Amino acid sequence: MDAKTLQARLLELIRRTSCELPPDVIRAVDKGWRREKPGTNAKYAFGVIRDNIKLAAGKSQPLCQDTGTIICDVARPDWVSERAFRAAFEKAVDEATRVGYLRQNSVDSITGRNSGNNLGPGSPVIHFHETTAKALTARLMLKGGGCENVGAQYSLPDTGLGAGRDLEGVRRCVLDAVNKAQGKGCGPGVLGVCIGGDRATGYVASKETLLRPLDDDNADPVLAKLERRLLDEANTLGIGPMGFGGATTLLGVKITARNRVPASFFVSVSYMCWAYRRDGFQLSAAGRIAKWLYD
Amino acid sequence: MLLEAPFTEEMMRALKVGDLVEITGVVYTGRDAVHKYLHEGGKSPVDLRDAIIYHCGPVVVKEGGRWVVKAAGPTTSIREEPYQGPLMEQYGLRGVIGKGGMGPKTLAACQKVGACYLHAVGGAAQVLAECVTAVEGVHLLEEFGSPEAIWEFRVAKFPAVVTMDAHGKSLHANVASVSAEALARLLKP
């Protein structure tokens, strides 16, 4: 595959991610809509959300104007170098910004200048892993600033929350994070949680776990149980979609764990808004999209 | 309920928390950079008297020499809490469109000047962009960049929920107290 083809495939990945929610997320939104009582502000918010999902896909325009931090996770076979992938991805990002699939979203933190094309130090984010598979797998997440701002990291023990260094302590942190996020991250949200790691790897893993399909089960039965419990409990908080009040505060909880050093016990929580823009594909060496990962 | 320009104090004082409204007229986008700039004494390039400010950083591209709005939902409003109340009083703003609600300073200003906080559905950038019928101008584009500029949007039937009114009521404060109680029950040792 030549560089132009790779760029074109990546542009399509960006377009789909920005404009079309994956089916697992749409199913969760529909379930939330059915749960809310007619005539409430919650039902109204869900109605607008559902209309918006359809409209964005139909018009091939960004679901949300905040097209977020661009985070790409790549399993890279031998036939493409990191250098070549990055070059093609950056060109695709530049083009996607020009045609309006992405907002001009990269700002120099010192001067305040917007680079105008989403490129700059640290943008876009690409995580590479090597793979022995023949196909390249790329997963893309566009994570808006509103939901990123309500991410939280706890260092246990936390006296205020009565949270010790155990799963009950983790539970307390997560529920606190959901309560504090109300209204700010566009709910109903999805949580990615990492237990352990250091401050940096914990947050990275909490985002990585948001690449899981919404309706899968955690391979670890202990974490699977905690995920279900936290989802049910968060939905009794009464925060509801957009913080209007209601029965649907979260659409999902995903938890992962990393080893830690004896002195540290971090709980890192990443909040994803209902506009859960993530997609992914498998790309053959010849440049054919073999599979969309969430369809 | 239709809210049609010119926006007046009487119109805003008639609204109550929970009301669904549809806004027709011109609204001005303004978010972090604009609020900080105005609060620090920067001159407003537009007449904000009786205006509605929209916390929004839209996607706008130039096609065939004209501006086309590709996406235009609300951004989180609470970041403007330090500035909003004073600006509301200084300019006599009639309303703020945003998401997530604002704090006690803004609520007090709403009550004092006769203004409301109008909550649009966050993330619903297409439904809301459909309501923008024309881009009538753009200001501070060079200085602040496209998402942070002041865009003059003519809107028709732009949907929002009144979540903070001119009577000192806030839906956000209510929901926060309900959820705080529920959380306390869940965290009981």
Side-chain angles (χ1 to χ4, degrees):
Chain A
M1 172 175 29
D2 58 17
K4 276 240 147 46
T5 308
L6 179 57
Q7 186 188 325
R9 298 295 178 266
L10 291 170
L11 179 65
E12 175 57 8
L13 177 61
I14 295 168
R15 187 200 65 78
R16 257 186 59 138
T17 309
S18 181
C19 307
E20 300 174 21
L21 278 193
D24 57 321
V25 179
I26 295 178
R27 280 195 297 274
V29 166
D30 287 347
K31 197 173 153 191
W33 175 77
R34 284 194 298 272
R35 189 189 288 139
E36 300 295 343
K37 288 197 193 88
T40 58
N41 287 332
K43 192 84 170 181
Y44 162 80
F46 265 120
V48 175
I49 287 170
R50 293 170 89 221
D51 289 348
N52 193 68
I53 292 169
K54 287 191 204 104
L55 202 53
K59 296 180 82 173
S60 209
Q61 292 192 165
L63 194 80
C64 174
Q65 77 290 338
D66 185 359
T67 56
T69 305
I70 302 162
I71 308 169
C72 191
D73 186 278
V74 185
R76 185 187 62 79
D78 288 341
W79 53 262
V80 61
S81 67
E82 290 191 10
R83 202 174 55 250
F85 184 92
R86 179 173 287 280
F89 191 58
E90 288 189 353
K91 280 190 181 150
V93 164
D94 180 78
E95 193 179 343
T97 313
R98 248 182 300 125
V99 299
Y101 298 148
L102 297 175
R103 186 172 72 181
Q104 299 174 7
N105 232 16
S106 182
V107 177
D108 184 306
S109 297
I110 310 303
T111 65
R113 245 198 195 296
N114 192 314
S115 74
N117 62 359
N118 275 304
L119 305 180
S123 177
V125 179
I126 308 177
H127 298 295
F128 288 105
H129 323 271
E130 208 176 28
T131 179
T132 53
K134 286 210 175 83
L136 175 146
T137 301
R139 289 182 172 83
L140 179 63
M141 176 153 51
L142 301 175
K143 193 166 185 303
C147 69
E148 182 65 4
N149 285 350
V150 296
Q153 194 167 55
Y154 298 83
S155 177
L156 299 188
D158 183 310
T159 317
L161 287 172
R165 292 182 154 196
D166 49 29
L167 291 183
E168 170 57 18
V170 172
R171 173 183 164 266
R172 287 169 171 264
C173 295
V174 171
L175 290 171
D176 180 65
V178 175
N179 190 45
K180 285 192 176 134
Q182 67 181 289
K184 299 187 219 43
C186 290
V190 179
L191 298 187
V193 179
C194 177
I195 307 168
D198 66 19
R199 286 194 185 272
T201 59
Y203 264 134
V204 170
S206 73
K207 284 184 184 158
E208 248 172 37
T209 196
L210 288 170
L211 295 173
R212 278 172 52 194
L214 205 42
D215 43 15
D216 72 350
D217 287 314
N218 199 313
D220 179 332
V222 174
L223 296 185
K225 196 172 154 200
L226 185 58
E227 287 178 357
R228 284 192 298 270
R229 180 177 179 193
L230 281 168
L231 178 60
D232 289 346
E233 289 185 331
N235 283 338
T236 66
L237 289 173
I239 295 167
M242 294 318 301
F244 284 173
T248 317
T249 296
L250 290 185
L251 298 177
V253 179
K254 302 290 170 192
I255 307 177
T256 188
R258 294 289 181 275
N259 280 11
R260 57 185 178 82
V261 297
S264 300
F265 195 119
F266 295 113
V267 179
S268 308
V269 183
S270 284
Y271 186 105
M272 188 71 181
C273 52
W274 70 259
Y276 189 172
R277 287 151 294 166
R278 61 125 162 75
D279 212 329
F281 62 28
Q282 275 179 5
L283 194 61
S284 76
R288 194 176 63 84
I289 296 173
K291 189 184 172 192
W292 287 96
L293 299 175
Y294 298 98
D295 282 3
Chain B
M1 206 174 298
L2 195 62
L3 275 189
E4 201 164 355
F7 309 114
T8 63
E9 178 175 352
E10 191 190 4
M11 195 187 256
M12 293 301 171
R13 290 208 185 269
L15 295 175
K16 288 194 175 56
V17 158
D19 287 347
L20 294 178
V21 296
E22 290 183 329
I23 303 150
T24 295
V26 170
V27 301
Y28 299 99
T29 71
R31 46 178 294 166
D32 308 79
V34 166
H35 281 79
K36 182 167 184 289
Y37 165 83
L38 294 176
H39 186 70
E40 288 171 355
K43 192 175 159 359
S44 175
V46 296
D47 183 8
L48 290 174
R49 173 89 14 212
D50 293 323
I52 291 181
I53 293 247
Y54 181 17
H55 295 160
C56 169
V59 180
V60 189
V61 296
K62 214 159 207 178
E63 284 178 359
R66 53 185 279 271
W67 294 113
V68 178
V69 178
K70 295 282 186 179
T75 190
T76 309
S77 298
I78 195 68
R79 296 191 304 268
E80 318 315 335
E81 179 65 10
Y83 318 119
Q84 200 70 72
L87 292 180
M88 223 169 224
E89 292 189 28
Q90 184 185 342
Y91 288 99
L93 297 177
R94 284 292 155 237
V96 171
I97 306 170
K99 72 167 166 92
M102 302 189 74
K105 258 175 84 173
T106 304
L107 188 61
C110 282
Q111 204 168 358
K112 188 165 169 196
V113 308
C116 286
Y117 181 82
L118 309 160
H119 198 306
V121 173
Q126 288 309 316
V127 167
L128 300 174
E130 288 271 293
C131 302
V132 180
T133 54
V135 178
E136 303 214 324
V138 59
H139 311 271
L140 300 168
L141 180 61
E142 264 308 300
E143 294 84 339
F144 297 152
S146 175
E148 294 270 12
I150 296 179
W151 293 91
E152 282 183 59
F153 286 164
R154 181 161 292 280
V155 299
K157 296 192 164 185
F158 183 104
V161 181
V162 178
T163 59
M164 292 163 61
D165 62 22
H167 313 284
K169 293 274 178 353
S170 163
L171 175 73
H172 308 286
N174 293 351
V175 174
S177 84
V178 167
S179 73
E181 272 178 38
L183 182 66
R185 276 197 302 275
L186 288 170
L187 297 189
K188 231 184 334 199

